Amino acid sequence: MEQTNKEKLKSKKNFGKNLSKNKKELQNLIKEKIKHGELKYMSQIEILEGMPSYKSIKKIWTKKELEDIFGIKIRISSYSDSEIIEAYTRVKAMYGNVTSKLMKQETGIGVDSIRIRFGSWNKFLIFLGEKPKRELNKVTDTNEEIINFYRNVSMKVGKIIYGASFTDLKKYGFQYSKSVLGIRFTNMNNLRELAGFQKRCERNTKYTKQYLGNILFEYYKIYGRRLTQAEIMKDENLPNPTAFFNYFQTTEIRKIWDEVLELHKIE
């Protein structure tokens, strides 16, 4: 029977707690991944299901041990601009569209290495003359302008009692994400009330800011790193990123992680 995400997470958590104890087991598992071509660079180990983070691996074996045991060259110095560009060009020729995940999977060059040389993944793409696949819209409208837009859309769709849904807003060209509404108005009911509509009866939230922060910190301990917004969204055991944005009052996942790790004295 296939493991559920919850079972996989529990398995990974237990495995992470006993890395030293399971050293031999882990060593054999890594060798199998290398043998079958699943692992080309040690730094990409954390993207493989059920495997610990690269940071955890480096706590178990030294650079020389990693090279001697697994036969994989460990690079310490950062990549040069030309090396990163050449690697990207090679992957692009093979696949067409290149994501940061695919880049790391095929070349071992992660976002951190690219950030050091170019500032960010998007700035790297711009440097190459390419358009970033996703561009976040800057919030330029005032609260009153958003309220008026909401009121007008509500009247257009004939929802004169409870007001329009977020889906209705998107149909009529609302350019921002739901998380922006969360930051500006906390929730849809507050927006409805400010626009002159009645509140809808909705189930009370089961989250608190402390609860969400503790969840993130538990995942940090399991993976040995910060999860990206995309990883949080894909994990069925985690709330939608919008919930984190609402409670931490920001639209940047980096700021949420900064606050969570500062609270736990992690640099």
Side-chain angles (χ1 to χ4, degrees):
M1 184 181 293
E2 187 177 353
Q3 276 187 312
T4 64
N5 284 341
K6 190 173 182 180
E7 289 170 337
K8 289 175 183 176
L9 176 62
K10 184 178 180 182
S11 175
K12 186 165 188 172
K13 185 174 182 179
N14 290 336
F15 189 76
K17 286 181 176 179
N18 301 287
L19 282 176
S20 297
K21 181 179 178 181
N22 298 331
K23 188 174 179 179
K24 188 64 179 179
E25 178 187 346
L26 178 60
Q27 180 176 318
N28 292 335
L29 185 57
I30 292 175
K31 286 184 175 180
E32 280 296 309
K33 297 291 184 183
I34 295 172
K35 180 180 178 181
H36 292 96
E38 297 178 61
L39 185 62
K40 299 177 183 178
Y41 304 92
M42 193 60 71
S43 60
Q44 71 176 173
I45 191 168
E46 58 197 39
I47 69 174
L48 298 179
E49 186 176 304
M51 301 298 284
S53 67
Y54 182 43
K55 183 179 179 180
S56 299
I57 291 295
K58 289 189 291 185
K59 290 180 180 179
I60 302 175
W61 292 289
T62 65
K63 173 182 175 294
K64 187 177 186 307
E65 288 174 333
L66 285 171
E67 292 178 344
D68 292 343
I69 296 172
F70 303 108
I72 293 183
K73 191 71 177 175
I74 308 298
R75 188 185 183 101
I76 292 182
S77 59
S78 62
Y79 295 90
S80 67
D81 290 7
S82 60
E83 286 176 318
I84 294 174
I85 293 171
E86 287 172 8
Y88 178 87
T89 303
R90 186 169 65 254
V91 177
K92 186 175 178 63
M94 293 169 59
Y95 295 94
N97 294 325
V98 184
T99 63
S100 57
K101 181 178 180 180
L102 180 61
M103 179 78 168
K104 183 168 185 178
Q105 181 179 320
E106 291 297 321
T107 68
I109 302 175
V111 172
D112 287 342
S113 296
I114 294 172
R115 187 181 294 118
I116 291 171
R117 307 299 302 188
F118 297 93
S120 70
W121 174 257
N122 277 351
K123 288 180 180 178
F124 171 58
L125 294 180
I126 293 171
F127 178 83
L128 296 176
E130 299 187 16
K131 187 176 181 180
K133 300 299 182 292
R134 185 185 177 210
E135 295 181 342
L136 298 176
N137 290 318
K138 184 178 180 180
V139 183
T140 57
D141 294 291
T142 64
N143 284 5
E144 191 58 39
E145 287 172 329
I146 294 176
I147 291 170
N148 286 335
F149 182 84
Y150 178 79
R151 187 183 293 118
N152 292 335
V153 171
S154 297
M155 301 309 291
K156 284 181 181 178
V157 298
K159 296 183 178 181
I160 60 176
I161 299 178
Y162 297 111
S165 66
F166 182 73
T167 302
D168 295 327
L169 293 181
K170 298 302 286 186
K171 286 181 179 177
Y172 280 86
F174 187 68
Q175 61 178 319
Y176 307 122
S177 67
K178 200 169 186 179
S179 61
V180 171
L181 292 182
I183 298 301
R184 291 293 188 92
F185 307 103
T186 305
N187 55 51
M188 285 293 289
N189 264 343
N190 283 342
L191 175 57
R192 290 187 180 103
E193 188 174 37
L194 290 170
F197 299 100
Q198 294 182 30
K199 290 184 176 182
R200 293 183 67 91
C201 293
E202 298 177 342
R203 184 175 60 183
N204 292 331
T205 179
K206 58 183 177 181
Y207 305 125
T208 64
K209 183 177 179 180
Q210 181 180 0
Y211 172 78
L212 294 174
N214 288 341
I215 289 179
L216 285 182
F217 187 61
E218 284 301 313
Y219 270 69
Y220 180 85
K221 290 192 293 184
I222 293 169
Y223 288 90
R225 61 178 177 84
R226 303 180 179 204
L227 268 65
T228 64
Q229 182 177 332
E231 289 174 322
I232 293 174
M233 185 175 291
K234 289 178 181 179
D235 195 312
E236 296 178 358
N237 295 308
L238 284 173
N240 189 282
T242 301
F244 293 98
F245 294 146
N246 288 345
Y247 281 91
F248 284 85
Q249 295 292 286
T250 180
T251 55
E252 296 183 46
I253 198 69
R254 174 184 61 80
K255 291 183 178 180
I256 295 175
W257 275 114
D258 286 346
E259 184 173 339
V260 169
L261 297 182
E262 182 181 357
L263 181 64
H264 291 87
K265 309 300 181 185
I266 302 293
E267 297 182 357

